[in-house]
Structure formats: C-alpha cells, structure tokens
Amino acid sequence: MSLRTRLLILVIAAMLVPAGLVGVRFVQNRSSDINAALANLTAAADEIAGDLDEKIQGTAQLHYGLSRARDLDTRDKAACSAFLSDVREEYPQFTGILTIDPDGRLFCDSLRTNRTLDLRDRAYFKQALVSPGVALEPVFGRLTGISVLQIAYPVRSEAGALKLILLASFNLRKFAEFHHKRLLGEKDILLVDGKGTVLVAPSGGGWTEPVGGSIAGSELLRFAATPDQKAFQEVTDREGRTQVWAVAARSSLARNAGLYILVGRSKDGLVAAANRRLYEDMAILAVASLLLLAAVWILATVSVGRQVGRLAAMAKKLGRGDLSARISPPHPRGELGGLMTLLNDTAESLQQQRADIADLSQKLSQSQKMEAMGQLTGGVAHDFNNLLTVILGNSEHLADRLAGDRELHRIAGDIATAAERGSDLTRSLLAFARKQPLRPRDIDIAGKLLDMEPLLRRSLGEHIECTFALDADLWMTSVDPGQLATALLNLVLNARDALPDGGKLTVEARNISLGETDLDVNGESRPGDYVMVAVTDTGTGMTAEVAGRAFEPFFTTKEVGKGTGLGLSMVYGFVRQSGGLVQMQSEPGHGTVVKLFFPRLAAAPAEEPAPGEQAVVSEGNETILVVEDDDMVRAYVESELKALGYRVLARSNGPAALDLLRQRGDIHLLFTDVVMPGGMFGPELARQAVQLRPGLKVLFTSGYTQNPVKTPDGVGDARILTKPFRRKDLAAMLRAALSAPPR
C-alpha cells in the first residue's frame, strides 16, 4: 500500500469522530442562534433607548446654550421666531423649537406660524413649572401633527423667577426611521406612550394598528409596562403571522417620561435564519473535509525528499561560514517551509549582526547628542499633548453634538483624526530621540564612581588635578546607573570648562540626613536620608544671577556652538525623577560645588500587585480633585468628569490642592498631572496628599507617553493616563483607580 493511500485512510478515519461531534454541535448552535437572535432584540431596544437618552441630554445642553442667547430676552416675537428658525435649521431632528411664557401661552416658534396656543394643559408645561431640569412628554405636535418627544427646559432669572420655557419637539418618526435603516429592515420598531397610543408604527406588513391608534388593554402594552415579568411577548395578527417583541427594559429618561420602545421581528424569520446558519455550517464542514483530503493527496504526491535535500545543502553552506547562502523560493508550506524560512532568517540575522557591530561606534558617538534631543522633545511632547488632549476631547464633543449634520460631523471627525496624528508625531519624536524610561537598580554609588574614575580623568585632561573622596559603607540607593553616569559626566565637563588654566576637582560621595532647612535649587525641602554625590571645582565660579538660572533649559553662558544649555537641566530632571534633590553653591573666583542627593533605599521594593479586572462601570458620583496647570486641559477634564456624574474640584497647582485637601473631607481621588510648575510635580503632590489622607486614591496623567511615573512611598500602585486621551479611556481609568482595593 502506498504512502499516499495510507495517509488518506488515516485522515478519513480520524475525521469520522470529529465530524460526528461537529454535526451535533452544529445542531446545538441552531438553538443557540435562535436564543441569540431573541437576545439581540432586547439589545437593539436597549441601544435605541440609549441613543434616545443621548439625544435628550444633547437637547438639554442645547436648551442650556439657547437660554443664554440675547435673542430670547427680547419681546420681539418676529425676531425671536426668526432666531429659533435659524437654530432649527441647524438641528433637523426637531420639528420645531419654541418658547412659552410663564402663563402657558406660546410666544414664538421656529415655524413662524404666529399662532396663539394655550399650553397649560400639557404635562411637560406643568412639570417644567416645578422642575429645575428638563421635562419630557411623548405627544403629537399641535403645530405639526407629527409624533414627537417634547423636551421642555425652564429658563429662570438669577433670582429664581421663571422667565420662559424652551421647548424642542424631537421627531420620533425620523428617529425610528433612522434606526430601522440601521437595523437593515430586519427588525420592526414600535413606539407607544404609557396610555397605549401608537406614536410610531412598524413599517412591516405584520402590524395593523395605525399611528394614533391605541393598544390599551393589550398584552403587548402590559408587557411593555412591566418588562421584568418575561423576556419576550408574541403577538399574532389576523392572518396568523406571529411577531416576537422585546422592550427596552433598562431605566432611561424616555421610559421615565412614559415612552416605551419595542423592537420586534417575525418569528418565522428568527427560525429561518437559524436554519440557514445550520445548513451553511454543514456545507462548510463538507467543503473543509474535501479540502483536507485534497491537501493530504497533494502532500503525499509532492516529493518530500527534494525539499529535504535543499535544507541539507543550505545547512552545509552555513557550516562553512557562507552567510550569503539562501534557499530560494518557492518554499513549501508546513514545517519544511518554516524550517527553510528559519535558516534564511538565521543567515540574514548573522549578516545584520556584522553590520550592527560596524555601526556601533558611530551610534555611541551620537548618544550624548541624542540625549539632549530627548530632553527637548520630551518638553515639546508635554505641551503638545496638553493641546492635543483639548483638541481631541472637544472634537469628540463636537462629533456627538453634530451627529445629525453629516458634513459637520465629518469635520469633527477630521479634527479628531488630526489630533491623533499629532499624538503619533510626538511618539515618533520621542522614538527618534531615543528617550528611554528610567531603569533604576539597587546599586552602591561608590562602586559606580570608582568604575567611572578612568573615564572622568581622561575627560578632564592632565592640567586638572582630580581627587575622589568616597566614604565607606555608603547606603544603597535605587538609581538608573546609565543616567547617573551621564549626569556625573555632565558635571565634570562643566567643571573642566570652568578650569581653562587648570585647577582642582573633587568628586565626593557620603551618607547624609537632610532636615526642613535643607533646600534644593528651587527652594523645596525634602527631609530624609540620602546618598550625596558632590562635584567641587576651583574654577571661575558664577554670579548669583547666573547661578539662579543655571538649571534652566537652554540657558548657557558659553559661546554659540559650544554649549546647548541642556546639561544641568538634564541632571536636575534625572535627580528629581529619581526622588532626590539638587543643591549648588558658587561664587565668582571661588569655584562651584554641585550636590546630588539620592534617597536611601530603606527596603527591597515590594512586588507589584497583580492587575485587577478592568472596571466595567464608567460613571460614578464620587468627588474628584483635579490638579492641572494648563487652563484648557483643566477645563476639559472638569467638564468630562461632570458629564460622567462625578463631583469635581479643580486646582492649578500642588500647594493649592493641598490647601483644599486640608479643608475638605469628602475627596475620594486625586487626579493630577505629573509635570507642573511651582516646584511641586504630581508624584510629590500625591505623596503629601496621601500623608494627609491615607485612604485617598491617586491617578496620574502625563504628556510624556514613554516616561513612567515612579510611585512615591505610601502612594501604592501607580496608575497613569497618558495624554492625549479619549473620554472612554478617562472613564475606565477613573473607575479602575476608584475600585482598587485600599492600600
């Protein structure tokens, strides 16, 4: 018996049992498809109800804006109607927009009918008289006769007196037609009010009750009013056709106003779709079986030995060191083809390593320049991402508000796309500059300095006397060794430039404890135990004015082309990011000493907690303290958080936030930017805030997309939301931070 025949027999035998199991599974899937189709009806109804709630909330915001328009304060009825007519043209989802006087009489309307109507009998008018928010009522419009959802908003004076009532008539018929098209006509949509009046009737042939008719007393209305009793309701018409209905069961603004949203589908259509799926699955199984048999036949027919010979020849060439050897395509599929590809990739990788070794010297010579570029692009990314946060967030708002206007909605989408491309640009700049995050390690700084001693002496030259004074038994610290070396080299090179005629330079390292009176270059005290690294020179020194600006980015006293002004600012940023501080003393003619303080490592870092499950609730009612120095970003975040239901307190800097924390006891979470002016960055603010409030949750945000936040002691697990961020990311991160277990 040939190999080909044996393979075919084995494949057929192996397929019998799986084929039987798959067939049983397909039959079970038919039942699951029917259940899924029924569940889809409820999901569609809930989705329509959710969309209507968004439209109601959007209308409320429109009312809020219109209430501040000067055109509504005039008693010129024609001017008022003309203004509302212009507004209505921008919002075609409304059949009309009008104002009602406190006595219930129509004053002006967007249709310019100049009619006199007494609306005191309308439920929405009565509710608006006593309610501070919007009032809703599903009715047929008196001016248009179209089924609408009346959305009324009372406009009051500063003293609380009712000035007028704004009313927008949301077109329910258009709303239902839109969703019917979105559902591809497979489902019917029925809108009824609490009395059973049909506001929007299905367009399918299985429904007999016209618009304006009543289904009061029917099983369908009782089902719509109490959807929790059963999941679905079947309705059979006079011709014996059965329709299955589902109602939006979740609480919504529309339902609270007495508007029931039902989605139905023909029962025959549900079963037919499941049967069609069953037949399709069985056909796929049959085709797959035939294809598998054909593949085995081809595999057995094609000569395997020839492919093995090609592999052996390639292996021999690689063994002789011929890295240019390749197995030319075509390659067979499966393990043989994968092995050929692997051998080709191995040879190519070895050639690439040779090229990388040749290129390594050039890359090393450019590392200092690239680090300076990293600092520059990091600052650009921070400010640019602040702007992108506002642009992206507001473009989302515009897209939501302009959903009914296709052209403006597209423009809002283009703005969001441009903002996202801007975010990609900042990431590209950081990648180009090779801005890497800190990689702290528990190290002995004295050992690191001794390793650097030959390099530092060569950098200084023979005309400068260099001395190392390193105390024994230095405390352990957690520092990035590479960044420490770069910082120390920057200080030594600055000292060399200050000693053009020679002199002395001392590198010192010792343990030290700082108190409240020990301040860094920005005047901030951070008491504690530190390992101090000091570089002292006997050079020209600096005036008080120059020393005060020495750590500013791009500030330099050197000639053009001999300094970028980034060296000391890079040193300061690295030390502060490592949790330490910097001091400097200098006098003209008496040299300079720069001291770097790195926190003592008290204990080994604790293992990071396992990530919890992602929060599924995006809204809340907790109180959040927002600390953001950028006014536009702060206003945008405050608006978003309020829209999500949170209570919001906002401050522009860390000291102001700490003052508020001392006064308020109901703050649940601190949402702070990482980089802020005023000498207090986000991590330091979080550390002091948690000392004031041990139970306070913390969420960071930053425009440095590749720069992780080192969590201060006592703050717990760091959570960071990078800028720019979308609304859903903000909501999810907040819930995750608020839902995290107490430290």
Side-chain angles (χ1 to χ4, degrees):
M1 186 180 294
S2 65
L3 175 62
R4 178 173 56 190
T5 304
R6 291 177 180 178
L7 287 174
L8 290 177
I9 292 175
L10 288 175
V11 170
I12 294 173
M15 287 176 56
L16 290 178
V17 174
L21 295 176
V22 171
V24 173
R25 183 60 179 170
F26 284 166
V27 174
Q28 293 175 345
N29 286 342
R30 176 184 179 275
S31 177
S32 299
D33 287 345
I34 294 175
N35 293 333
L38 291 173
N40 183 259
L41 292 180
T42 301
D46 288 341
E47 184 179 356
I48 294 173
D51 185 37
L52 184 55
D53 280 358
E54 291 182 3
K55 298 296 190 296
I56 293 172
Q57 293 171 354
T59 304
Q61 294 177 357
L62 173 63
H63 280 332
Y64 180 81
L66 291 177
S67 66
R68 282 150 178 76
R70 296 182 178 179
D71 299 82
L72 296 184
D73 289 337
T74 178
R75 297 304 298 173
D76 187 341
K77 190 171 185 178
C80 178
S81 296
F83 171 69
L84 292 181
S85 177
D86 293 339
V87 174
R88 191 264 171 196
E89 289 182 0
E90 295 294 329
Y91 298 92
Q93 65 268 38
F94 302 116
T95 61
I97 304 175
L98 53 86
T99 64
I100 306 172
D101 286 333
D103 61 0
R105 298 187 180 279
L106 172 66
F107 177 67
C108 65
D109 68 272
S110 61
L111 299 179
R112 304 187 187 185
T113 59
N114 202 26
R115 293 179 57 181
T116 301
L117 289 179
D118 188 351
L119 303 174
R120 287 176 294 177
D121 60 332
R122 287 294 198 182
Y124 63 78
F125 176 78
K126 297 175 182 179
Q127 183 182 353
L129 290 177
V130 297
S131 173
V134 295
L136 308 173
E137 182 184 5
V139 294
F140 288 95
R142 291 185 177 179
L143 297 178
T144 63
I146 299 174
S147 57
V148 295
L149 179 62
Q150 302 287 25
I151 305 174
Y153 176 80
V155 180
R156 303 182 183 277
S157 64
E158 295 181 357
L162 181 65
K163 297 169 58 180
L164 55 91
I165 294 176
L166 271 168
L167 179 68
S169 301
F170 184 77
N171 193 330
L172 292 177
R173 186 176 65 188
K174 263 189 173 181
F175 178 75
E177 289 175 352
F178 166 77
H179 281 284
H180 186 265
K181 292 179 180 178
R182 184 180 61 82
L183 297 175
L184 302 177
E186 293 182 354
K187 301 177 182 70
D188 293 326
I189 299 175
L190 172 64
L191 303 183
V192 297
D193 63 14
K195 298 178 181 179
T197 303
V198 178
L199 299 174
V200 176
S203 58
W207 183 261
T208 57
E209 196 66 40
V211 174
S214 177
I215 60 171
S218 66
E219 288 292 333
L220 185 58
L221 181 61
R222 285 192 288 273
F223 163 70
T226 56
D228 296 333
Q229 293 184 356
K230 54 183 179 179
F232 306 98
Q233 177 68 40
E234 294 186 3
V235 176
T236 304
D237 61 13
R238 300 184 185 91
E239 299 179 2
R241 293 175 297 189
T242 302
Q243 194 88 352
V244 182
W245 292 95
V247 64
R250 65 178 180 176
S251 176
S252 64
L253 297 174
R255 185 176 182 85
N256 294 338
L259 176 61
Y260 302 142
I261 300 175
L262 297 98
V263 176
R265 188 176 181 183
S266 168
K267 188 174 182 179
D268 293 338
L270 289 174
V271 177
N275 288 337
R276 184 173 61 254
R277 174 67 181 275
L278 174 61
Y279 300 149
E280 290 174 352
D281 290 344
M282 296 300 292
I284 291 174
L285 176 61
V287 171
S289 300
L290 293 175
L291 291 176
L292 180 59
L293 291 174
V296 173
W297 182 276
I298 294 173
L299 178 63
T301 302
V302 174
S303 175
V304 178
R306 185 175 63 88
Q307 306 300 340
V308 173
R310 297 173 67 192
L311 287 170
M314 173 68 176
K316 289 180 180 180
K317 291 181 180 179
L318 289 179
R320 293 194 298 266
D322 183 7
L323 299 183
S324 63
R326 298 290 188 274
I327 300 178
S328 59
H331 297 165
R333 295 184 179 181
E335 289 80 359
L336 291 177
L339 183 56
M340 291 179 179
T341 302
L342 178 61
L343 286 174
N344 284 345
D345 292 344
T346 301
E348 186 173 349
S349 176
L350 291 173
Q351 280 190 323
Q352 184 62 42
Q353 288 181 22
R354 289 180 178 176
D356 291 342
I357 293 174
D359 191 50
L360 182 60
S361 297
Q362 181 180 359
K363 290 183 177 180
L364 288 176
S365 66
Q366 295 294 325
S367 61
Q368 195 72 18
K369 177 181 178 181
M370 298 303 292
E371 181 63 20
M373 180 64 74
Q375 294 292 333
L376 174 61
T377 55
V380 172
H382 178 268
D383 293 333
F384 195 27
N385 282 333
N386 275 343
L387 298 176
L388 291 176
T389 299
V390 178
I391 296 172
L392 184 59
N394 285 299
S395 66
E396 282 188 302
H397 278 298
L398 286 175
D400 291 342
R401 302 293 185 275
L402 302 173
D405 190 316
R406 181 178 301 175
E407 179 62 20
L408 294 181
H409 183 76
R410 181 191 62 78
I411 293 175
D414 290 345
I415 296 174
T417 300
E420 290 177 340
R421 289 182 179 176
S423 177
D424 293 338
L425 176 60
T426 60
R427 286 194 292 270
S428 298
L429 287 173
L430 288 169
F432 167 76
R434 299 180 184 177
K435 181 171 180 58
Q436 299 296 324
L438 290 183
R439 294 182 174 86
R441 291 169 49 196
D442 301 344
I443 65 170
D444 178 7
I445 286 184
K448 183 64 178 177
L449 295 179
L450 290 176
D451 292 340
M452 291 187 62
E453 181 177 353
L455 172 64
L456 298 180
R457 291 186 183 277
R458 287 195 302 270
S459 301
L460 288 171
E462 297 180 354
H463 65 295
I464 298 176
E465 178 182 351
C466 181
T467 303
F468 284 77
L470 310 178
D471 284 0
D473 299 323
L474 286 180
W475 292 326
M476 295 292 291
T477 59
S478 180
V479 181
D480 186 327
Q483 293 291 341
L484 174 62
T486 301
L488 188 61
L489 185 60
N490 270 322
L491 295 179
V492 169
L493 293 178
N494 279 348
R496 182 195 65 186
D497 294 341
L499 296 165
D501 300 323
K504 294 182 179 181
L505 182 141
T506 303
V507 178
E508 178 185 9
R510 59 188 176 91
N511 298 328
I512 191 171
S513 296
L514 300 181
E516 293 288 345
T517 59
D518 297 309
L519 307 179
D520 74 343
V521 293
N522 274 346
E524 180 182 353
S525 65
R526 304 183 72 177
D529 294 335
Y530 294 84
V531 175
M532 182 198 73
V533 177
V535 176
T536 305
D537 66 72
T538 59
T540 56
M542 292 178 281
T543 64
E545 179 181 359
V546 173
R549 300 186 59 190
F551 291 94
E552 293 181 8
F554 305 107
F555 176 79
T556 180
T557 58
K558 299 177 183 179
E559 298 177 7
V560 176
K562 294 187 177 181
T564 63
L566 290 173
L568 288 180
S569 65
M570 291 165 58
V571 172
Y572 179 78
F574 157 66
V575 176
R576 290 302 302 267
Q577 190 176 357
S578 300
L581 64 157
V582 180
Q583 293 179 349
M584 183 176 69
Q585 296 89 34
S586 183
E587 293 183 15
H590 293 82
T592 301
V593 56
V594 179
K595 299 178 180 179
L596 314 181
F597 298 88
F598 298 98
R600 175 185 183 182
L601 185 63
E607 293 183 0
E608 294 185 3
E613 294 182 359
Q614 185 176 359
V616 297
V617 179
S618 60
E619 297 184 355
N621 57 4
E622 292 90 347
T623 301
I624 298 177
L625 173 57
V626 177
V627 185
E628 170 61 58
D629 60 288
D630 190 287
D631 295 339
M632 291 189 297
V633 175
R634 186 172 63 252
Y636 161 68
V637 172
E638 186 175 359
S639 173
E640 287 290 351
L641 294 180
K642 289 181 178 178
L644 290 171
Y646 295 101
R647 297 185 296 273
V648 183
L649 303 171
R651 292 296 183 269
S652 61
N653 55 69
L658 291 175
D659 290 342
L660 183 60
L661 282 169
R662 296 186 183 99
Q663 301 170 11
R664 298 285 297 262
D666 58 343
I667 298 175
H668 299 89
L669 180 139
L670 172 65
F671 182 49
T672 176
D673 194 7
V674 173
V675 181
M676 295 186 294
M680 181 178 292
F681 286 7
E684 174 60 17
L685 169 61
R687 185 186 67 81
Q688 296 191 31
V690 171
Q691 288 180 350
L692 290 173
R693 295 282 188 73
L696 184 67
K697 303 295 180 62
V698 178
L699 175 60
F700 294 105
T701 181
S702 174
Y704 289 89
T705 57
Q706 295 180 337
N707 196 10
V709 176
K710 185 177 181 181
T711 311
D713 293 338
V715 175
D717 187 23
R719 297 177 184 273
I720 182 165
L721 179 63
T722 57
K723 301 175 183 176
F725 47 80
R726 287 185 172 273
R727 183 186 310 145
K728 62 180 182 182
D729 299 325
L730 172 63
M733 223 23 164
L734 281 172
R735 286 286 7 128
L738 288 167
S739 302
R743 290 178 296 275

